[in-house]
Amino acid sequence: MKYPEPISKLIDSYMMLPGIGRKTATRMAFFTLGMDKDQVQEFANNLISAKTDLKKCKICGNITTEDICPICSDKSRDQSTILVVEQAKDIMSLDDMNGYNGLYHVLGGVLSPVDGVGPEDLNIKMLLNRLKQNQSVKELIIATNATPEGEATAQYLAKLVKPAGIKVTRLAHGLAVGSDIEYADEMTLKSAVLGRREI
């Protein structure tokens, strides 16, 4: 059966989300039709606000509504460590465990020659400038995912940073190989941070 164009377009829109196939997108579209007009308007406003009101922190690349994110603005955090993550969503997972109180840096991905992602495509230059300007940084903790690309990125960063005399560590492999930080439980993340090793 062919759906009317508005619902077909809505289904297609939901299918753009990762992990959402046609059946789930159709269920979501029909659920949306059952919502009252105010709920739909609020949902639409929230989507637009997330796209227009958020920006990247000028220091670390985290998502924020201000020029500088709350983590970088918080002077009570340990200024001597920077934990490097692939994506901003990884900061939420790591910061929720309450086992780390330092700073963060978002790369915006990992090195992947197959996908055409090189060092110039990542937030590496900003990290190196940050390390030069902030002489209080003593340790760089690399928390890229335990994938071949994540490992290659960690090794690349270690080679760049070690000559500056900064200790470079990697999260312990309490994280399963091939897993993503955002899906790990709190205890796994805590033991991974506490058991980090030098590269």
Side-chain angles (χ1 to χ4, degrees):
M1 174 185 170
K2 189 169 168 65
Y3 293 115
E5 188 177 353
I7 197 154
S8 289
K9 285 184 174 179
L10 185 56
I11 291 167
D12 290 342
S13 294
Y14 278 124
M15 284 177 62
M16 292 191 310
L17 299 172
I20 304 295
R22 181 157 294 281
K23 273 189 175 182
T24 303
T26 302
R27 272 197 302 272
M28 292 167 78
F30 277 97
F31 179 83
T32 306
L33 288 178
M35 295 165 65
D36 67 42
K37 191 174 180 180
D38 289 341
Q39 289 175 311
V40 173
Q41 187 62 56
E42 184 181 358
F43 185 69
N45 290 342
N46 290 340
L47 283 172
I48 292 166
S49 173
K51 192 64 182 167
T52 59
D53 298 343
L54 293 174
K55 50 186 149 186
K56 290 183 180 177
C57 173
K58 290 184 176 181
I59 296 174
C60 72
N62 190 11
I63 53 171
T64 181
T65 55
E66 306 298 324
D67 287 338
I68 308 297
C69 76
I71 292 174
C72 289
S73 302
D74 187 351
K75 298 303 176 199
S76 71
R77 295 187 77 100
D78 179 2
Q79 304 291 306
S80 70
T81 60
I82 296 178
L83 199 152
V84 179
V85 296
E86 291 181 20
Q87 303 293 344
K89 62 185 176 183
D90 298 330
I91 291 177
M92 319 277 180
S93 300
L94 287 160
D95 219 50
D96 283 349
M97 72 175 176
N98 296 317
Y100 175 74
N101 192 40
L103 303 173
Y104 292 94
H105 190 84
V106 180
L107 289 176
V110 286
L111 296 173
S112 179
V114 173
D115 298 319
V117 180
E120 65 284 350
D121 300 309
L122 302 178
N123 205 4
I124 294 173
K125 189 175 181 183
M126 194 157 102
L127 173 63
L128 297 177
N129 288 338
R130 189 175 175 193
L131 293 173
K132 276 184 199 165
Q133 292 169 5
N134 187 354
Q135 298 296 312
S136 62
V137 177
K138 304 290 182 236
E139 182 181 7
L140 189 74
I141 306 165
I142 301 175
T144 51
N145 290 317
T147 61
E149 295 81 8
E151 290 295 329
T153 304
Q155 293 297 328
Y156 179 79
L157 289 174
K159 283 180 187 169
L160 290 177
V161 173
K162 271 188 159 185
I166 297 169
K167 182 179 179 183
V168 180
T169 57
R170 178 96 166 100
L171 286 189
H173 286 293
L175 295 170
V177 175
S179 66
D180 288 338
I181 287 173
E182 72 174 306
Y183 300 118
D185 64 280
E186 187 177 324
M187 288 309 295
T188 301
L189 286 172
K190 192 172 277 191
S191 62
V193 169
L194 294 175
R196 65 187 182 267
R197 58 183 168 76
E198 189 162 354
I199 298 176

